[in-house]
Each structure stands twice: as structure tokens, then as C-alpha cells.
Amino acid sequence: MTDTAVAGASADQAAPKRPARAARPAAKPHGQWKVDGTTPLNANETWKQEDNGLNVRERVESIYAKNGFDSIDGTDLHGRFRWWGLYTQRKQGIDGGKTATLEPHELEDKFFMLRVRIDGGALTTEQLRVIGQISVDFARGSADITDRQNIQLHWIQVEDVPEIWRRLEAVGLSTTEACGDVPRVILGSPVAGIAKDEIIDPTPLINEIAERFIGDPELANLPRKYKTAITGHPSQDVVHEINDCAFVGVIHPELGAGYDLWVGGALSTNPMLGKRLGAFVTPEQGAEVWNGVTSIFRDYGYRRMRTKARLKFLLADWGTEKFRQVLEDEYLGYKLADGPAAPKPATPGDHVGIHEQKDGKFFIGATPLAGRLTGSQLVTLADTLEARGSYRLRTTPHQKVVVLDVPRENVEPLVAELDALGLSARPSVFRRGTIACTGIEFCKLAIVETKVTAATAVAELEKRLADLADSGQLPQALSLHINGCPNSCARIQTADIGLKGMMLPTPDGDPSPGFQVHLGGGLASTDRDEAGLGRTVRGLKVYVEDLPDYVERVVRKFVANRAEGQTFAEWAHAAEEGDLQ
């Protein structure tokens, strides 16, 4: 057959007819209330609609506290209790290798972690003393400062919860929506209202949001947790890039002091950094804008799969332009002004050390060891501060404590007294830069121990690297973040050295606790213009017992090989893989 004949043949003669392509199955709905309706698409969404989580308080007080742990309804226990800051804690003695194989009820004890909500990290000494005494009376002395400015207590029994609530609420504290699919604690600048270089005091905005919206049933059923950060300080001290909604103080050339709006940040197993919407928010608009962003999450957030139910996934699909348009058109009814980005921070955001306030008094930033304190320490701290003329303090997003309003003549005596309490105002690089999550001691999700691991690592590194510290070769800041599982409560992807807990194989076949290593992450700071995630190197893992050896080794390599002016993060991203082992 000639080419001409082929060319002139019909299509049916030239080639067999292909079968019709099957229609693609319709995309499954995301469970967006404004798109797909409010019919629940999973069991979690079902029980949230059946009874608002806030309603469980009445049952705690009238039934469960009277009849004990075994009387608690299962859905309340594993769901709605979170709306009031209560999680069952891990049963003692269960190793990390069993975390993923046991059912939740097999992992949990008949005790609770109770999270005290501290919006803006703001405490009076009276409030601190009450938390400390609750710890002494009901929590076996436990008290951990978290990297979200809360204080967590352990060993709580349900029978004691009403009395704990009574004591907290008598001094203006609560556990309302400290956990759950709700607006969590509002991170706030620890130096709000007192810093000499503050752009704007965020305290009124934090208070307005908390008073108007926390505990509001209309916002108490979100797709998942929702995190807020607000600062008016140029150090950008609230880790805004990893929050769902954040306001960062900035000066608009025509409108004056206000906020740059960020949305969609979160870490966990699928980390995404927040994005600027390019919108300037005046102080008067702040609460309404926050409510608008939160309502978008409620109405458009993905609810079908909990692994996709954070605001970051919606933002990734929509983009910032559409998100801003929906916010303005559907929720605000007006356009926000365009605004500038905040400049690179000029000072550290952890506020450690001694600093003069704008009123001439001083604030002192002091660090406990990875956030761990005791109830007795809290009570003593309250007494100590009052004796030195201070009646206010702040917790920080870096597991630190900032003491306010210290008269000049009391600064050095108080620094010495804080040090005796385990709170260092002049810490080593490693003590200052180390944070750790709760870990396997109490957390049902954890695989490895964290708090003791952190304390051991800090002590060892202070000794082993004393020569570099004494010679001034250590960087002024080096963050070491230790997490007990992949969920990144300790922000491992944004640390110089981030450690993700996991079980590692051993030559004898018996898995041992260890970490996957992330290197060179960080948020906007004096050392970097913008946030970035850490680097992972294939196969770079370390056993818990070898952690000090590894950190010493990689820090010495950095000091020996860095270029002039190069930060650890810059070096870690540029280094050959062999130098990071």
C-alpha cells in the first residue's frame, strides 16, 4: 500500500477505534461548609455538630467530677474535654516503640494534662502564685512553660477540675479553648506596652479578641486548631510565620502604626510558612479582621480529612490574592489598605537579659531549662518578684520568662535570685537556644523522651564547647529544638538544629530512641531577613544517647569551616553532606 493510499483511507480503516475514555470520578467534597454544606463527612465532624465542645463543662462539674474517670463518656473524654484544656496523659512505662501500635485507650492514663490559657503570656504575680499552688495541690508539682506561652500541668484528676477552674477564674485565668478545634491561645509580644522601641502596643487588640471571641459558640467548631500571634515589637517576637493568623507591627507611611497581616502558617508533618496578604490593618480594624480570617477558616476550611484541615492547605489552593478578596468582599465589606512589610529585626526576639523599659524601670528575660519548672518554683518566683517591686511577668513563645517593672537598684539582686531558682538571665548559648516539647513522659503521641534529653544535652555542650565559648567563636545564638514525634510542637523545621523523635534500628534489631536531624531552619531574626525551613540530609539520624556527641561535632565543623560572617543556618544549607554527619 502506497503512502497516498494510506493518507486517503478513512480513520476507521487506518487505525482501530479507541474505546471511549472513562469519565473521571467526581472530586470528593472537601467538607467546606459554604461549598459542600454542613453535613458531616467523618466521625469527628459528627460529634462536633451533635454537641458543641464548650458544653462539656457542665457535665464535668455535675457528673464526671462526682463519679470519677470511669463515668466519662468516650466522646467527651477524647474530644470535647479538649475545649476546656484537658487531654488524657500517657500511661507511665510504655516505650516509644509502642506509640504507633497501641490504641489510644491503651496508651492513656486516668490522669490529665491541663493547659492554662495565658493570652499574650501576661501574668500577675498573684496569678502565677495561684497556678503554682494548683500545681502543688493537684499536679504533683508539675509546671511546664510551653512555646505558646501557656503553662501545662500534669497528673490532674477529673475530681479536682472544678476546684482548679474556680481558683483560676477567681484571678482572671481560664482553660477555655486551650485545646481543641478552636482559636487557641493568642501569642503576644512579651514586652507589649513596656518596650522603648515598640511600634504599637498590641495589648488592646489581644484583649478585645479574647473578650469578644474566645468561648463564642459561633467559633467553637473550626475544622481544626487555629493559632494566632500578635506583636507590635520590631523584633517580631511571636513566631508569626508559623501561625494561622498573625498581625505584625509596622508603620504605614500615611496611616501610621498598625499591623501587617499574615495567614496560613503551620508546621507539623507538612510544614508551610505563612504568607503576607499585603494588607495593612489599623488598630481599630484588628478584631474585625481577625474574626473575618477565622470565619473564612470555619466556612471554607477543609473538614473531610483532618490531615488537610488546617488553614495552610486552603491558602495553598486559593493563593493570597483570592484569600484577601474573599476576606474583604464576603466578611469585611470594605477594602483594606495596601501596606509595607516589616523590616528585618534588629534585636533578638526572646528578650533574654536585662533591658530598660520606656518608663525607666527594667525588664529581665530569664530562661528555665527547656521550659521545665515546678509549682514550688512558681510560688517562690511570685514571692521573689514582689519582694523586689515587680508584680507583672510574661511567658514567651521561646519557653522563657520575662519579669517586668524592676527598679534599677533591684536588677542585680533579682538576677541572682532568679538564677538560684533555675532561671538564668545570662544563659549559655545552648541553654538560651534549647526548647523541648512534652515528650514521652506525658504525651500519647511521643516516641522519645525530650525534657531530660534537653537538660543532658545542654549540660554536656556547655562543658564540651567551653573552649569555643571562652574564645568567642560560638555564635551568639544557636537554636536546638527537640521534639518527641513528627508533629513539631517544638518547631523543629525552624531551628538551627531541629530533632524529630523516632525509633531507629540497631545492629541487634531492637529499635532505640533517636532523632531525624533538620539543619539550618529559622524565622525572621537579626541573622536572617525571612523565615526558612531546615534542611534534611538522607540518612542523617542520631540516637538519643549520641546527641551531645553529634551537636558538638557539627558545631566544631561549623566554626572551623564557616566563611566570614556566615551564620550556622547559611553554612548548614551550603555545606557538603559529609560535613553535616
Side-chain angles (χ1 to χ4, degrees):
M1 185 180 293
T2 65
D3 291 343
T4 303
V6 172
S10 70
D12 287 338
Q13 292 172 322
K17 190 172 183 179
R18 294 181 178 178
R21 183 175 295 175
R24 291 183 178 179
K28 291 183 179 180
H30 286 301
Q32 298 168 281
W33 280 1
K34 273 204 169 185
V35 176
D36 306 310
T38 59
T39 301
L41 298 181
N42 59 50
N44 203 75
E45 288 298 310
T46 298
W47 64 251
K48 285 198 294 180
Q49 284 199 29
E50 288 174 348
D51 186 30
N52 192 294
L54 294 172
N55 295 337
V56 80
R57 174 164 178 158
E58 190 277 331
R59 292 191 288 278
V60 171
E61 294 176 322
S62 65
I63 301 173
Y64 305 143
K66 294 178 180 178
N67 298 330
F69 184 92
D70 292 336
S71 70
I72 303 171
D73 170 79
T75 304
D76 283 349
L77 180 65
H78 300 116
R80 300 183 187 95
F81 265 42
R82 300 175 186 181
W83 272 240
W84 289 95
L86 290 158
Y87 281 99
T88 51
Q89 70 184 38
R90 188 186 189 94
K91 190 178 296 182
Q92 301 296 289
I94 299 178
D95 68 54
K98 296 179 180 176
T99 296
T101 61
L102 296 179
E103 295 296 322
H105 70 274
E106 296 176 293
L107 285 166
E108 71 187 4
D109 212 336
K110 294 185 178 182
F111 297 93
F112 294 90
M113 178 275 286
L114 179 67
R115 183 176 294 157
V116 181
R117 181 184 184 115
I118 308 173
D119 290 302
L123 287 170
T124 65
T125 49
E126 179 187 23
Q127 291 172 327
L128 182 69
R129 185 179 291 107
V130 166
I131 296 173
Q133 197 59 51
I134 289 171
S135 169
V136 171
D137 293 345
F138 303 112
R140 301 189 187 180
S142 62
D144 288 339
I145 298 174
T146 76
D147 59 7
R148 292 200 63 80
Q149 296 180 280
N150 297 307
I151 294 178
Q152 291 184 174
L153 309 177
H154 299 280
W155 299 108
I156 299 296
Q157 295 180 286
V158 71
E159 291 88 342
D160 297 322
V161 170
E163 172 61 13
I164 293 171
W165 282 337
R166 186 195 67 77
R167 293 191 193 184
L168 290 172
E169 290 164 5
V171 292
L173 293 171
S174 81
T175 67
T176 310
E177 296 185 337
C179 313
D181 298 350
V182 293
R184 302 283 185 92
V185 67
I186 303 166
L187 294 189
S189 171
V191 294
I194 59 108
K196 296 171 73 172
D197 54 348
E198 186 172 54
I199 297 167
I200 185 172
D201 181 0
T203 305
L205 178 54
I206 293 170
N207 291 344
E208 183 180 359
I209 292 172
E211 290 165 7
R212 287 179 57 184
F213 301 116
I214 302 308
D216 179 357
E218 292 297 313
L219 296 177
N221 181 359
L222 302 179
R224 276 198 70 189
K225 58 188 173 185
Y226 179 78
K227 297 181 177 181
T228 303
I230 306 175
T231 184
H233 195 263
S235 66
Q236 300 175 26
D237 50 5
V238 292
V239 296
H240 64 277
E241 304 99 324
I242 55 173
N243 280 263
D244 296 280
C245 179
F247 296 80
V248 179
V250 69
I251 301 292
H252 191 281
E254 286 131 27
L255 301 174
Y259 300 98
D260 185 30
L261 179 60
W262 290 64
V263 299
L267 294 179
S268 193
T269 55
N270 192 338
M272 299 184 194
L273 296 171
K275 304 292 185 184
R276 294 183 61 240
L277 293 191
F280 178 79
V281 180
T282 68
E284 296 76 21
Q285 294 169 332
E288 188 176 9
V289 170
W290 180 90
N291 187 39
V293 174
T294 311
S295 298
I296 287 177
F297 183 43
R298 177 195 62 200
D299 298 339
Y300 287 105
Y302 301 153
R303 293 176 181 262
R304 183 173 67 87
M305 296 174 58
R306 284 185 69 77
T307 54
K308 297 289 186 181
R310 292 295 300 275
L311 184 61
K312 61 185 177 182
F313 295 105
L314 178 67
L315 181 70
D317 288 345
W318 276 12
T320 55
E321 185 176 342
K322 178 178 178 178
F323 194 100
R324 179 173 172 179
Q325 181 180 358
V326 171
L327 173 64
E328 293 172 336
D329 294 351
E330 294 188 29
Y331 292 87
L332 298 179
Y334 58 84
K335 298 293 184 183
L336 294 167
D338 292 336
K344 174 183 174 181
T347 57
D350 64 1
H351 303 298
V352 168
I354 302 162
H355 311 269
E356 188 173 6
Q357 300 177 179
K358 61 186 178 183
D359 63 0
K361 293 183 179 180
F362 289 80
F363 67 88
I364 303 172
T367 177
L369 199 44
R372 173 136 291 179
L373 290 168
T374 67
S376 297
Q377 285 175 297
L378 298 185
V379 173
T380 303
L381 176 60
D383 295 341
T384 302
L385 299 187
E386 290 176 356
R388 293 295 177 184
S390 170
Y391 295 86
R392 295 192 297 163
L393 68 154
R394 306 267 169 81
T395 54
T396 85
H398 302 279
Q399 295 183 333
K400 310 291 188 285
V401 171
V402 177
V403 177
L404 310 186
D405 309 326
V406 182
R408 180 185 297 271
E409 64 273 16
N410 288 340
V411 168
E412 287 302 328
L414 183 53
V415 166
E417 290 164 345
L418 290 173
D419 197 55
L421 273 171
L423 292 158
S424 177
R426 298 185 177 103
S428 69
V429 168
F430 295 105
R431 184 180 177 118
R432 181 173 184 169
T434 298
I435 69 174
C437 72
T438 299
I440 201 170
E441 182 180 10
F442 297 117
C443 179
K444 299 190 298 293
L445 300 177
I447 300 166
V448 304
E449 199 283 327
T450 55
K451 295 291 189 182
V452 173
T453 299
T456 301
V458 168
E460 282 292 314
L461 293 168
E462 286 175 341
K463 289 188 296 185
R464 296 184 187 196
L465 295 173
D467 59 320
L468 297 183
D470 292 342
S471 62
Q473 296 182 77
L474 274 181
Q476 291 186 334
L478 187 70
S479 52
L480 176 66
H481 293 190
I482 302 175
N483 211 79
C485 77
N487 288 318
S488 201
C489 294
R491 309 196 297 256
I492 52 174
Q493 300 98 332
T494 58
D496 287 310
I497 303 173
L499 302 161
K500 179 176 77 176
M502 61 194 328
M503 298 300 289
L504 300 178
T506 61
D508 63 8
D510 189 18
S512 180
F515 301 100
Q516 181 187 53
V517 181
H518 297 245
L519 293 167
L523 303 177
S525 68
T526 57
D527 290 334
R528 59 191 304 156
D529 292 327
E530 58 185 32
L533 301 177
R535 170 189 183 184
T536 56
V537 175
R538 185 177 180 86
L540 180 51
K541 299 177 175 67
V542 58
Y543 295 111
V544 167
E545 60 268 26
D546 297 331
L547 178 58
D549 293 338
Y550 173 74
V551 177
E552 178 188 7
R553 186 165 65 247
V554 77
V555 169
R556 288 193 182 277
K557 287 182 180 178
F558 160 65
V559 169
N561 300 326
R562 64 184 167 184
E564 179 73 24
Q566 193 174 38
T567 66
F568 182 88
E570 291 167 342
W571 173 81
H573 278 283
E576 297 291 332
E577 290 189 2
D579 288 335
L580 302 177
Q581 298 292 334

